[in-house]
């Protein structure tokens, strides 16, 4: 795993398909709001489902006039479509499928050993400056305080 992107770094732009196969890019997302990037290992897994359900259940905190939130994993758009429909996730689930994990690698949250991103949380300002960055160890859930620390800066 590469080193986690640092606070103060410029967040790399990316363009990825969402669960509806629409192209989403960081430059467009950050044009008028801060962006919370929520990297997760895999759809249809317990910890990931619980974390994204928290976002779903508290959506006004994660999606408002000053902040937008996207979740990113290596799963393909059709998988994300089925999962997001079943779970009622109304925020974008972006597919970092090919090149496999390239965006997660740029942000320093990709586990080569596992072949998927770890639970990374990165808050990006409108000028693409990283305001917050955290990553959980492989197999570990996101620290319970991560959401509050990131949202406080949003």
């Amino acid at each position: 795993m590469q080193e986690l992107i640092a606070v103060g770094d410029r967040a790399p732009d990316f363009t990825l398909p969402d669960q509806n196969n629409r192209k989403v890019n960081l430059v467009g997302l950050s044009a008028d709001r801060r962006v919370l990037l929520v990297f997760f290992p895999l759809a249809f897994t317990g910890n990931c489902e619980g974390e994204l359900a928290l976002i779903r259940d508290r959506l006004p905190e994660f999606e408002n006039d000053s902040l937008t939130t996207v979740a990113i994993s290596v799963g393909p758009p059709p998988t994300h479509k089925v999962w997001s429909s079943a779970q009622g996730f109304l925020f974008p689930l972006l597919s970092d499928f090919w090149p496999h994990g390239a965006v997660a690698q740029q942000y320093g949250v990709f586990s080569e050993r596992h072949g998927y991103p770890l639970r990374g949380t990165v808050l990006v300002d409108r000028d693409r400056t990283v305001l917050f960055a955290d990553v959980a160890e492989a197999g570990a859930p996101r620290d319970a305080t991560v959401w509050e620390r990131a949202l406080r800066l949003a």
Side-chain angles (χ1 to χ4, degrees):
M1 186 174 93
Q2 296 177 341
E3 189 171 320
L4 175 65
I5 194 166
V7 170
D9 284 356
R10 184 165 174 83
D13 190 24
F14 57 79
T15 299
L16 295 173
D18 70 7
Q19 66 266 41
N20 298 306
N21 221 23
R22 290 185 297 236
K23 301 292 183 194
V24 175
N25 65 50
L26 182 60
V27 168
L29 290 170
S30 64
D32 61 352
R33 295 185 275 179
R34 290 181 171 166
V35 181
L36 186 63
L37 306 175
V38 178
F39 291 91
F40 68 97
L42 298 166
F44 296 101
T45 59
N47 281 338
C48 297
E49 195 166 293
E51 290 178 344
L52 297 190
L54 181 142
I55 295 169
R56 177 198 62 212
D57 296 346
R58 294 172 50 190
L59 196 58
E61 295 175 63
F62 290 88
E63 188 70 34
N64 53 57
D65 290 341
S66 62
L67 178 69
T68 190
T69 298
V70 296
I72 305 171
S73 187
V74 294
T79 299
H80 288 169
K81 175 77 170 179
V82 171
W83 192 46
S84 66
S85 294
Q87 295 300 318
F89 299 148
L90 302 178
F91 47 91
L93 280 99
L94 306 183
S95 175
D96 193 12
F97 184 72
W98 197 257
H100 189 74
V103 173
Q105 290 174 35
Q106 290 180 308
Y107 282 81
V109 299
F110 188 79
S111 171
E112 292 284 341
R113 181 172 165 239
H114 296 95
Y116 54 68
L118 302 176
R119 289 180 178 81
T121 310
V122 179
L123 179 65
V124 179
D125 205 351
R126 291 177 58 192
D127 65 0
R128 291 190 17 230
T129 301
V130 174
L131 299 173
F132 177 87
D134 184 86
V135 66
E137 295 296 319
R142 220 172 295 260
D143 180 288
T145 67
V146 165
W147 302 122
E148 304 317 316
R149 290 184 289 141
L151 291 173
R152 197 174 20 234
L153 297 171

